[in-house]
Amino acid sequence: MMDQKTIIQTTQLTMVYGMGEISVAALDGVSIQIQTGEFVAIMGPSGSGKSTLMNILGCLSKPTSGSYILDGEDVSELSKVELAAIRNQKLGYVFQSYNLLARTSALSNVMLPLLYDRQKQPDRETREIQAKAVLEAVGLEDRMLHQPHELSGGQQQRVAIARALVNDPVLILADEPTGNLDSKSGEEIMDLLHVLHDQGRTIVMVTHDPEIARHTERAIHLQDGRVETVIENGRTGRIIRTGGGDHEAA
Amino acid sequence: MKPLEFLRVAWESISRNKLRSLLTMLGIIIGVASVIIMIAISSGTEATIEEQITGLGSNLVFVTANFTRAGFGFGGPQGGRSSGLVFDDAFAIAEEISGVKAVVVEQPSSENVKFENITLSGVSILGTTSDFPSVRDMEIDQGRYFNQIEIDRKQKVAVLGSSLAAELFGESNSIGQTVTVDTTKLVVIGVLQEKGLVGDVDFDSRLYTPITVVFQKFTPSQFARFRGDRVRVIYVEIEELDRINDTILQIELLLAKRHDVSLEEADFNLTTQQAIIATQEATTAAFRSLLAWVAGVSLIVGGIGIMNIMLVSVTERTREIGVRQSVGATPADIRWQFLTEALLLSLAGGVIGVIAGAGGSWLFGEIGGMRTVIVPTSILLAFASAVIVGVFFGFYPANKASQLDPIEALRYE
């Protein structure tokens, strides 16, 4: 956190859907910069392009034009296979609807990213140890063998967060992480994200809820595919409690 | 990902969806089982035919009357012409044709046979000549066959087939006993060894007697003897198989001359054992290729079944594919996952199909009364084609899954 290394640098990102006269520009020249250790919200009404931006930042799609440098590497021209490797090595996702594999234990769900790790190719035992460690870190040590339908929404989202952490990513992308949760569970998830942030994780979160966005240090507002305003919230220093353990904010 | 991991992932996915997996395998199970059963049935039929062919005797030429040409009249439009084969034709063949080893005639009848208080009705009576056992590969069990002298003297003797002897006399000795055939008393001089069914003819349930006795006592009506004693079949055993066509031509020319007909409108037919074998082999070959086609089609249908359910499965699991892609699965990873699933399903289906096929073949044999022979190579063939079909038809859905766009896949409801 001491060095303010740039983790995300986009230059004039555009994303055009369709062709010719019926084409629609979902992104129209977005240039943003996010530093290591930042907690940033991307906001905007529906159709503003925030999901499109999120997909590009998450290496799930490629921009029509412009460049995207992630962790010092230009990823805007990479192939599908190379993008899959980037997602596997550098990124962690938290989705609104959790996106856990049904009829699969929490542990197996969390182990999933390690299954596709071509660099380290950890064996099953290693994968299990790592997955158990992150499940403990999100306070689910006694729910490891439960299947998603046996878990509450908040617990499912915590499994999803554990899955996002298991590969030790440089960037966590959260897409409306509290969107499907009641306010109490939502609060717990936000507390957990704060803990991660305080541990030095870089988090980019898409939300339309200003209450949720207030938790972040910076909110980037999009409108019609362009950056409209950037609101600085400043660093929020709070003491956070999750599960049974105490986590001191830095 | 290592191959073992793919296997594990595929296995987990298959065991998570047991019913769907079973339905997917069903087509392959049926396909493999039907290949094995059909090959078992056709091999069983072939084995039966082969035994029948061996039972026919060797180097035989069959001369039969051609009734469509001969006509039934004895003074009809073709007056002066013959009406079928007569006993004298056999003598003529034996005397005038070279290279003939033996000539045997056969004339059947059906009569009641009585011994003490046992009466059997409709017993097949066969008038033959002395060479019959050697020409038709029959062995004598007890006593002897009748000889030429007994034929010439129209001696009232009988040789019994093994099952007929058992029915009339049971365990006791039949030689020297007298049986009553219709109203004629015949002395039993021999019993034949068991030969079994040859074609649809049961050699063991017949009574053999000199042909002259049949002519004299059991020929249904006297007008049949108008132009001589009729015989149904003349068997000609030839010495050298190489010269069989030459011999056939000589017999044909001789008979045509004797019957006063041209070869084109002959009132007789000559068939060789080879011709019969060839006909039966052609029939089995046709049967076998028909079965092969049916089995092949059912395997393809099984493959299409796999493809169908895999396609549904890909659609159903779109989100799962999206999740896997988002955590770093490459298109190749996804393709291998689904291909491995297809391979596992068709392997499992193949194993179950082999068991079902073996069981089904056994059942067809036991209950269906069909003769079945399970051929080991058919198991290998069915199994291999099941796997090939599974992978072939699994490829399209697997490829489709691998080409999904991660964003679309994650958004799929």
Side-chain angles (χ1 to χ4, degrees):
Chain A
M1 273 184 298
M2 294 312 215
D3 59 324
Q4 286 288 292
K5 190 186 154 209
T6 303
I7 190 98
I8 290 175
Q9 169 90 61
T10 75
T11 315
Q12 290 296 314
L13 282 185
T14 67
M15 188 62 157
V16 181
Y17 292 113
M19 291 173 86
E21 287 180 10
I22 51 157
S23 63
V24 176
L27 289 182
D28 189 10
V30 171
S31 303
I32 56 170
Q33 194 170 354
I34 293 170
Q35 308 299 324
T36 303
E38 264 197 291
F39 192 175
V40 177
I42 294 173
M43 299 194 66
S46 64
S48 62
K50 61 181 192 298
S51 293
T52 307
L53 179 59
M54 193 69 165
N55 289 336
I56 293 171
L57 295 182
C59 294
L60 289 166
S61 64
K62 287 198 268 186
T64 310
S65 68
S67 78
Y68 170 27
I69 294 160
L70 170 69
D71 196 27
E73 187 179 354
D74 189 347
V75 295
S76 40
E77 297 298 331
L78 295 184
S79 70
K80 274 185 176 180
V81 176
E82 289 165 325
L83 284 178
I86 296 282
R87 294 197 293 268
N88 184 254
Q89 297 294 320
K90 298 193 171 180
L91 301 175
Y93 298 86
V94 180
F95 300 98
Q96 179 175 357
S97 50
Y98 330 130
N99 276 333
L100 300 175
L101 298 189
R103 280 168 287 178
T104 306
S105 69
L107 185 63
S108 295
N109 263 293
V110 175
M111 283 162 66
L112 195 63
L114 302 176
L115 190 64
Y116 297 105
D117 188 342
R118 282 171 201 287
Q119 281 188 2
K120 295 194 273 294
Q121 301 200 355
D123 57 29
R124 197 172 165 80
E125 204 182 337
T126 315
R127 297 204 302 264
E128 224 172 277
I129 292 167
Q130 282 179 260
K132 277 179 177 166
V134 285
L135 275 165
E136 275 168 31
V138 299
L140 285 175
E141 56 273 12
D142 52 353
R143 292 281 189 278
M144 292 197 196
L145 297 178
H146 286 59
Q147 298 190 354
H149 66 93
E150 298 166 323
L151 298 170
S152 71
Q155 286 170 333
Q156 287 189 53
Q157 194 60 299
R158 277 198 272 168
V159 174
I161 291 172
R163 182 180 63 192
L165 289 172
V166 77
N167 58 343
D168 193 21
V170 297
L171 175 65
I172 291 172
L173 295 152
D175 189 353
E176 303 272 13
T178 60
N180 281 14
L181 299 173
D182 58 65
S183 55
K184 186 172 172 292
S185 309
E187 198 76 3
E188 283 172 13
I189 293 301
M190 286 316 296
D191 285 350
L192 182 55
L193 289 178
H194 273 293
V195 171
L196 298 175
H197 175 222
D198 292 338
Q199 287 167 353
R201 299 277 178 197
T202 313
I203 303 172
V204 174
M205 178 175 69
V206 165
T207 184
H208 66 278
D209 184 350
E211 276 301 312
I212 298 293
R214 238 193 294 281
H215 283 271
T216 62
E217 296 167 312
R218 201 151 61 107
I220 298 167
H221 285 257
L222 293 185
Q223 182 76 47
D224 299 328
R226 293 200 177 113
V227 176
E228 196 188 36
T229 52
V230 177
I231 295 169
E232 302 281 344
N233 294 330
R235 185 122 175 83
T236 50
R238 339 184 304 171
I239 292 170
I240 291 136
R241 293 170 306 280
T242 54
D246 287 338
H247 301 272
E248 292 273 326
Chain B
M1 246 166 107
K2 297 164 200 154
L4 203 69
E5 302 283 2
F6 281 113
L7 272 177
R8 198 202 304 272
V9 170
W11 172 248
E12 281 167 4
S13 163
I14 287 169
S15 52
R16 265 201 296 275
N17 300 286
K18 291 193 181 65
L19 181 65
R20 190 183 64 200
S21 305
L22 195 73
L23 286 175
T24 314
M25 285 188 292
L26 202 59
I28 290 292
I29 294 173
I30 293 171
V32 168
S34 62
V35 168
I36 292 172
I37 290 172
M38 285 174 181
I39 291 179
I41 290 174
S42 80
S43 316
T45 313
E46 269 170 65
T48 307
I49 288 174
E50 213 159 282
E51 280 171 20
Q52 290 181 354
I53 287 167
T54 351
L56 282 174
S58 51
N59 294 0
L60 278 189
V61 174
F62 302 78
V63 187
T64 51
N66 186 348
F67 290 109
T68 55
R69 286 271 170 74
F72 275 93
F74 46 94
Q78 301 134 318
R81 296 214 171 164
S82 152
S83 52
L85 295 171
V86 294
F87 193 34
D88 289 345
D89 288 336
F91 285 119
I93 292 169
E95 277 164 27
E96 292 177 36
I97 308 292
S98 59
V100 169
K101 196 170 165 191
V103 178
V104 163
V105 296
E106 183 181 301
Q107 178 62 22
S109 182
S110 176
E111 309 290 346
N112 290 340
V113 175
K114 205 172 131 198
F115 174 69
E116 289 178 348
N117 54 355
I118 303 168
T119 305
L120 302 173
S121 61
V123 174
S124 171
I125 309 295
L126 201 71
T128 68
T129 46
S130 55
D131 283 335
F132 186 83
S134 74
V135 170
R136 298 307 315 262
D137 283 342
M138 309 275 302
E139 301 286 334
I140 306 290
D141 188 35
Q142 300 164 38
R144 57 178 183 83
Y145 210 74
F146 40 82
N147 53 35
Q148 192 58 47
I149 298 163
E150 284 163 321
I151 293 168
D152 291 344
R153 291 182 181 168
K154 300 174 188 173
Q155 292 271 332
K156 296 185 179 57
V157 294
V159 174
L160 306 180
S162 59
S163 66
L164 180 67
E167 274 187 82
L168 288 174
F169 299 100
E171 297 291 305
S172 57
N173 185 20
S174 55
I175 308 294
Q177 303 282 2
T178 304
V179 294
T180 312
V181 179
D182 194 16
T183 54
T184 310
K185 288 188 186 324
L186 299 181
V187 176
V188 177
I189 58 164
V191 175
L192 295 169
Q193 269 183 19
E194 190 181 333
K195 186 177 168 79
L197 279 178
V198 176
D200 53 355
V201 178
D202 183 1
F203 277 69
D204 300 331
S205 68
R206 300 201 291 196
L207 185 146
Y208 301 86
T209 188
I211 188 143
T212 46
V213 175
V214 170
F215 290 147
Q216 192 182 37
K217 299 289 181 185
F218 309 124
T219 301
S221 56
Q222 290 303 306
F223 71 73
R225 294 169 58 199
F226 188 74
R227 288 180 190 279
D229 296 315
R230 261 220 238 179
V231 292
R232 187 178 65 170
V233 191
I234 300 174
Y235 300 102
V236 182
E237 188 177 8
I238 58 161
E239 275 164 358
E240 284 173 80
L241 202 57
D242 299 344
R243 296 186 55 236
I244 191 159
N245 289 327
D246 185 38
T247 311
I248 287 171
L249 187 64
Q250 287 185 46
I251 296 171
E252 280 179 333
L253 290 171
L254 173 72
L255 290 179
K257 193 176 142 204
R258 284 176 57 83
H259 294 193
D260 189 23
V261 291
S262 68
L263 278 183
E264 285 73 35
E265 47 189 36
D267 55 352
F268 53 86
N269 266 333
L270 266 72
T271 317
T272 60
Q273 202 179 351
Q274 275 70 25
I276 294 170
I277 293 170
T279 311
Q280 283 177 328
E281 274 176 354
T283 314
T284 355
F287 182 57
R288 193 172 41 213
S289 71
L290 174 77
L291 289 186
W293 273 107
V294 173
V297 166
S298 60
L299 262 178
I300 289 172
V301 170
I304 291 170
I306 282 210
M307 182 160 74
N308 263 332
I309 303 206
M310 290 291 286
L311 278 174
V312 172
S313 167
V314 166
T315 311
E316 212 177 71
R317 291 157 68 188
T318 300
R319 232 183 149 96
E320 175 196 326
I321 295 164
V323 172
R324 287 182 186 274
Q325 287 174 322
S326 75
V327 298
T330 60
D333 286 333
I334 301 290
R335 188 184 301 124
W336 275 113
Q337 180 189 336
F338 280 86
L339 260 185
T340 314
E341 271 184 44
L343 183 70
L344 260 189
L345 283 173
S346 44
L347 275 176
V351 169
I352 299 174
V354 165
I355 295 167
S361 305
W362 180 81
L363 220 65
F364 265 99
E366 288 294 305
I367 293 165
M370 273 182 209
R371 178 161 175 190
T372 53
V373 177
I374 297 172
V375 186
T377 49
S378 78
I379 292 178
L380 211 69
L381 174 88
F383 199 75
S385 21
V387 173
I388 291 167
V389 159
V391 172
F392 181 80
F393 286 101
F395 190 81
Y396 174 65
N399 200 50
K400 203 182 161 201
S402 76
Q403 296 306 316
L404 284 175
D405 177 51
I407 297 166
E408 298 289 327
L410 282 168
R411 208 181 285 155
Y412 186 83
E413 292 295 332

